[in-house]
Amino acid sequence: MKARVHVMLKTGVLDPQGEAVRHALGALGFEGVNGVRQGKVIELDLAEGATEDQVKDMCEKLLANTVIESYSVELV
Amino acid sequence: MKAAVIVFPGSNCDRDLAVAFEAAGADVTMVWHKDSDLPRDVDIVGVPGGFSYGDYLRCGAIAAKSPVCTALRGHVERGGYAIGICNGFQVLTETGLLPGVLLRNAGLKYICRTVGLRVETSDSAFTQGYNAGDVLNIPIAHHDGNYYADEATLAALKGEGRIAFTYTDNPNGSQYDIAGILSDNRRVLGMMPHPERAADAGHGGTDGTALFRALTGALTAA
């Protein structure tokens, strides 16, 4: 089984990389892009029987820094 | 005074830090990241600058989970001293030994130059060789030095006099111009600028020397 973890900066935390992407899109002529937030996706290949709680524990301990990042787990 | 300097794969300021400690009179042992013990009777652990584990995942995140960092946490919980410089500061925040986190520089660029650094408190073993208000010239070299913490943490740092250093001209967007902070027992310092790169006349400046001398003096007397 697989799990997909999405890690995003929390609302209110400045995302300078997202801002740079937004500016670049504007420079390319894409209008109306009001905001860009950049995060990461981590795919885990897991042994059968792994639970969402185990993946959340991985997020809390390593995959996300919960001071600034939020995460969501999707089992696929 | 006995100092240990941790070496991670990708550390590149470990030897500079060891030389600065030795020049101040410390006995220095280098400790590999896979070691699960620190040398006996070590007074201070140095977490050096560099790019531990290639900055994978987040700066300092993988290093913070290495065996030697478990030993480091035990050392600090027993009241031991530690200093983390640049990537070492990032490692200390990722271990939770210091609050907050270092984000990407606001201007997105890696910055490598000498900056003005204001000493905010002389009340620590690290900063007692300076006077509060002194302005030092110390190099920075980082991509992720933009200090961030929630308002409650910032208020505590400020209220308890735990902001050790601020930038005179904020280069990276850091909150409250923070360049270095102390733990609540004032025995752990994390800072982005590199005092070990301003610790010999050959470096072009020696404003960092007093930090290492004060530390050696304080911990030898203790």
Side-chain angles (χ1 to χ4, degrees):
Chain A
M1 64 184 290
K2 289 197 171 168
R4 198 171 289 136
V5 174
H6 299 258
V7 180
M8 291 296 295
L9 282 172
K10 286 179 179 171
T11 309
V13 177
L14 180 73
D15 179 6
Q17 293 177 100
E19 270 301 286
V21 172
R22 187 177 70 82
H23 282 293
L25 288 171
L28 285 170
F30 293 102
E31 290 173 11
V33 181
N34 296 326
V36 176
R37 305 283 285 170
Q38 185 178 318
K40 49 188 131 175
V41 177
I42 302 168
E43 285 190 345
L44 306 170
D45 189 353
L46 300 167
E48 284 307 318
T51 65
E52 188 170 336
D53 281 349
Q54 285 171 329
V55 179
K56 284 183 177 170
D57 198 31
M58 295 176 198
C59 293
E60 290 286 333
K61 287 184 174 153
L62 180 65
L63 301 180
N65 182 334
T66 55
V67 175
I68 47 164
E69 293 170 331
S70 59
Y71 61 85
S72 61
V73 175
E74 185 189 346
L75 295 177
V76 289
Chain B
M1 181 187 83
K2 285 191 181 173
V5 173
I6 297 177
V7 186
F8 297 107
S11 292
N12 64 10
C13 302
D14 45 324
R15 283 168 293 172
D16 307 54
L17 183 55
V19 167
F21 272 132
E22 281 167 356
D27 292 329
V28 182
T29 308
M30 308 305 278
V31 183
W32 185 231
H33 68 113
K34 286 186 176 170
D35 292 351
S36 47
D37 295 304
L38 293 165
R40 276 172 61 86
D41 304 327
V42 72
D43 297 298
I44 182 159
V45 178
V47 190
F51 301 86
S52 58
Y53 299 88
D55 281 348
Y56 294 166
L57 191 63
R58 297 178 304 276
C59 298
I62 310 278
K65 310 301 175 191
S66 62
V68 77
C69 277
T70 304
L72 171 63
R73 185 175 292 111
H75 166 79
V76 169
E77 284 168 0
R78 288 190 298 274
Y81 287 78
I83 180 170
I85 297 168
C86 198
N87 186 223
F89 186 10
Q90 295 161 345
V91 172
L92 291 177
T93 61
E94 282 283 346
T95 57
L97 293 172
L98 289 173
V101 62
L102 284 313
L103 294 174
R104 180 59 38 107
N105 293 343
L108 288 174
K109 288 194 169 62
Y110 180 92
I111 309 169
C112 183
R113 60 180 161 87
T114 297
V115 299
L117 199 61
R118 183 175 291 109
V119 179
E120 293 291 331
T121 175
S122 58
D123 178 20
S124 78
F126 306 94
T127 55
Q128 64 184 12
Y130 304 108
N131 295 312
D134 282 357
V135 174
L136 318 175
N137 290 309
I138 304 280
I140 58 168
H142 61 244
H143 207 162
D144 298 81
N146 179 353
Y147 184 79
Y148 175 88
D150 60 33
E151 281 302 324
T153 304
L154 289 170
L157 289 174
K158 197 164 176 60
E160 295 164 18
R162 288 165 52 196
I163 300 174
F165 299 106
T166 54
Y167 300 108
T168 55
D169 184 12
N170 192 336
N172 57 24
S174 191
Q175 286 176 311
Y176 287 16
D177 304 324
I178 284 173
I181 57 168
L182 293 159
S183 60
D184 52 6
N185 70 357
R186 314 185 84 74
R187 292 185 174 198
V188 180
L189 171 71
M191 63 190 293
M192 289 311 296
H194 287 274
E196 82 284 10
R197 293 191 193 176
D200 185 284
H203 292 156
T206 57
D207 284 358
T209 305
L211 185 151
F212 296 100
R213 284 200 184 141
L215 205 47
T216 310
L219 300 195
T220 303

